[in-house]
């Protein structure tokens, strides 16, 4: 049997008729950018998250960098972020000229909240919380700090659509919740897409203006903005995804529950879920000192896995200019050398799950 790390086609074929009829509806409408599909998706997604406003954008990275831009964070400012995130989180900060200040992760792969306060300086302007792999971070503790030090709070929810802390959905705790709808995300488009969930109506309006060349009214430009619009086709297809989001979340929970119950091998550390948090299992990430052998062994059995992520941002070539070296963030670096994401996708059959479990148990 061959099991790939991800199977995006399965998620399409399950709702094929709905996706195809929506696609045709948009194609035949004659209206492709900033229309009713985007407007409806924004309303539906805001309602789904429990947030006040949603603004559709072109990608998750755009959501991040435009968020910091509109919050007025730039050169000379510092933003606190976990060291083991996907590099796009960090780019959202540095594209504005601001400096990322890395904090080590906790055993749940999210920011170790107990290590934030020691990094706060007079230049600190914001905390960027990444709900990595689909598990909510400890927002009660983060909120205490942002309130105590009067910091902006931005959430990177590119992997956490639907994950909650203390019953509240990620993306609604701070000033801006940034989402990606890249095809492999838990709510995925059929191309690039992104969006923000925003508490403040004025800030939501700023995003609407910014994404469209800074114009509120056509050809009257208030600010130098960007072209970062979620398009009508993607918005329409995302509305189909949203209709089925709960059953897809439940299916991932069941796959994770089986992995947690049935994978038994001392060479692996299985993921845990922090008290108060829920996980939507964007990735099911195990850790092993023999990670590279495990990956190779699974490859021989035709089981695909992915390393999220092999090079932490502070050691990436792109961020050489920040001046970090190996050893600066030992936990982040340890995780980078040990993590492995097992196959996890909607439409994964029970036979595929069993095949993966048996193979790992025999390693
Ligand atoms: C995918 C991802 C992004 C970037 O989203 P894009 O839509 O690909 O630009 C940002 N942060 C995290 C944590 C991600 O997983």
């Amino acid at each position: 049997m061959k099991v790939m790390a991800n199977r995006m086609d399965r998620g399409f074929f399950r709702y094929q008729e709905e996706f195809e009829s929506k696609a045709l509806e948009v194609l035949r409408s004659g209206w492709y950018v900033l229309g009713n599909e985007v407007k409806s998706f924004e309303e539906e997604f805001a309602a789904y998250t429990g947030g006040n406003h949603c603004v559709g954008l072109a990608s998750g990275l755009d959501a991040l960098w435009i968020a910091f831009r509109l919050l007025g964070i730039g050169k000379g400012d510092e933003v606190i972020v976990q060291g083991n995130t996907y590099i796009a989180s960090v780019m959202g900060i540095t594209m504005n000229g601001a400096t990322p200040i890395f904090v080590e992760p906790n055993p749940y792969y999210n920011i170790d909240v107990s290590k934030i306060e020691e990094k706060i300086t007079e230049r600190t302007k914001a905390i960027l919380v990444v709900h990595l792999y689909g598990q909510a971070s400890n927002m009660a503790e983060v909120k205490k700090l942002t309130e105590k030090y009067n910091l902006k709070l931005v959430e990177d929810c590119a992997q956490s659509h639907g994950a909650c802390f203390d019953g509240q959905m990620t993306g609604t705790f701070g000033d801006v919740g940034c989402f990606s709808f890249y095809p492999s995300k838990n709510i995925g488009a059929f191309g690039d897409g992104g969006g923000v969930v925003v508490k403040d109506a004025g800030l939501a309006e700023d995003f609407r203006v910014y994404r469209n060349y800074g114009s509120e009214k056509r050809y009257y430009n208030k600010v130098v903005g960007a072209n970062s619009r979620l398009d009508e086709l993607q918005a329409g297809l995302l509305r189909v995804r949203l209709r089925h989001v709960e059953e897809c979340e439940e299916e991932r929970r069941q796959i994770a529950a089986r992995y947690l119950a049935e994978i038994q091998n001392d060479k692996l550390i299985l993921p845990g879920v922090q008290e108060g948090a829920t996980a939507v299992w964007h990735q099911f990430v195990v850790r092993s000192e023999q990670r590279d052998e495990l990956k190779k062994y699974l490859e021989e059995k035709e089981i695909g896995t992915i390393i999220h992520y092999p090079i932490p941002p502070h050691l990436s070539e792109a961020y050489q200019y920040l001046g970090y070296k190996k050893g600066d963030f030992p936990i982040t670096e340890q995780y980078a050398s040990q993590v492995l994401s097992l196959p996890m996708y909607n439409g994964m059959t029970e036979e595929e799950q069993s095949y993966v479990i048996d193979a790992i148990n025999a390693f």
Side-chain angles (χ1 to χ4, degrees):
M1 188 185 291
K2 185 176 166 126
V3 183
M4 285 155 71
N6 194 0
R7 287 291 302 263
M8 288 182 279
D9 54 337
R10 297 271 176 87
F12 164 70
F13 284 114
R14 180 180 283 170
Y15 311 110
Q16 180 176 5
E17 280 180 26
E18 286 178 66
F19 283 127
E20 289 181 354
S21 85
K22 177 57 83 178
L24 284 177
E25 183 190 327
V26 176
L27 292 176
R28 287 168 178 165
S29 74
W31 193 273
Y32 308 117
V33 172
L34 295 183
N36 287 330
E37 293 294 340
V38 169
K39 192 165 173 294
S40 299
F41 173 72
E42 289 173 342
E43 286 166 11
E44 289 160 11
F45 193 73
Y48 163 72
T49 61
N52 292 351
H53 309 276
C54 168
V55 182
L57 301 168
S59 73
L61 176 61
D62 281 4
L64 287 157
W65 77 259
I66 296 173
F68 289 112
R69 180 74 48 98
L70 294 178
L71 291 171
I73 291 165
K75 213 167 159 37
D77 297 333
E78 294 178 352
V79 178
I80 288 172
V81 63
Q82 69 196 66
N84 63 326
T85 187
Y86 181 49
I87 201 161
S89 316
V90 182
M91 289 182 177
I93 298 167
T94 59
M95 283 169 75
N96 289 292
T99 305
I101 301 296
F102 297 112
V103 172
E104 294 269 47
N106 64 18
Y108 306 98
Y109 306 109
N110 280 327
I111 193 164
D112 185 339
V113 182
S114 71
K115 292 179 181 158
I116 294 178
E117 199 160 15
E118 65 201 54
K119 300 280 179 121
I120 294 175
T121 71
E122 70 280 4
R123 287 185 296 276
T124 309
K125 290 287 149 44
I127 300 178
L128 172 60
V129 174
V130 187
H131 307 288
L132 202 69
Y133 306 147
Q135 178 172 170
S137 298
N138 186 336
M139 296 312 288
E141 294 299 318
V142 171
K143 285 289 281 191
K144 276 187 205 156
L145 291 170
T146 54
E147 277 159 23
K148 181 170 170 191
Y149 292 97
N150 193 24
L151 304 175
K152 300 289 186 198
L153 173 55
V154 179
E155 296 174 81
D156 183 338
C157 307
Q159 304 188 0
S160 74
H161 321 68
C164 293
F165 190 81
D166 280 346
Q168 184 177 340
M169 204 176 279
T170 52
T172 65
F173 285 90
D175 298 281
V176 185
C178 302
F179 290 84
S180 165
F181 304 116
Y182 182 77
S184 67
K185 308 294 185 183
N186 280 27
I187 297 179
F190 295 81
D192 277 303
V196 287
V197 169
V198 186
K199 198 164 279 170
D200 181 74
L203 184 56
E205 191 49 35
D206 291 345
F207 273 100
R208 286 184 213 288
V209 169
Y210 202 90
R211 72 173 167 190
N212 196 26
Y213 304 110
S215 72
E216 209 164 2
K217 193 172 139 200
R218 207 169 200 188
Y219 307 134
Y220 291 78
N221 301 73
K222 285 170 50 162
V223 293
V224 180
N227 172 356
S228 181
R229 301 169 298 216
L230 181 66
D231 66 69
E232 285 285 287
L233 186 58
Q234 300 306 336
L237 297 170
L238 284 166
R239 293 181 68 202
V240 177
R241 286 263 195 240
L242 261 188
R243 276 184 222 149
H244 301 288
V245 67
E246 260 131 46
E247 65 211 55
C248 289
E249 284 170 8
E250 180 53 30
E251 184 182 35
R252 281 175 182 267
R253 260 197 297 277
Q254 277 174 16
I255 297 168
R258 259 202 88 187
Y259 277 167
L260 288 171
E262 297 179 36
I263 294 177
Q264 278 156 1
N265 188 322
D266 292 343
K267 298 188 190 78
L268 270 73
I269 299 171
L270 296 174
V273 180
Q274 188 170 23
E275 206 185 317
T278 63
V280 291
W281 303 105
H282 173 62
Q283 302 297 347
F284 189 96
V285 177
V286 300
R287 220 160 75 226
S288 175
E289 283 176 19
Q290 293 152 58
R291 192 266 315 273
D292 294 337
E293 289 121 283
L294 175 61
K295 184 168 177 42
K296 194 159 166 283
Y297 162 85
L298 292 172
E299 250 159 46
E300 280 158 12
K301 299 211 167 310
E302 294 197 299
I303 295 171
T305 55
I306 303 178
I307 298 168
H308 296 101
Y309 301 90
I311 300 167
H314 74 278
L315 296 180
S316 155
E317 193 182 339
Y319 284 120
Q320 264 179 4
Y321 74 89
L322 291 173
Y324 290 108
K325 59 182 188 313
K326 224 176 162 154
D328 284 341
F329 297 96
I331 302 171
T332 296
E333 292 165 28
Q334 184 199 345
Y335 286 1
S337 71
Q338 295 185 344
V339 292
L340 191 66
S341 304
L342 303 186
M344 165 62 79
Y345 47 87
N346 288 114
M348 186 177 190
T349 66
E350 287 190 17
E351 292 70 34
E352 288 170 336
Q353 295 164 34
S354 300
Y355 183 69
V356 172
I357 291 163
D358 292 344
I360 292 175
N361 288 346
F363 171 64

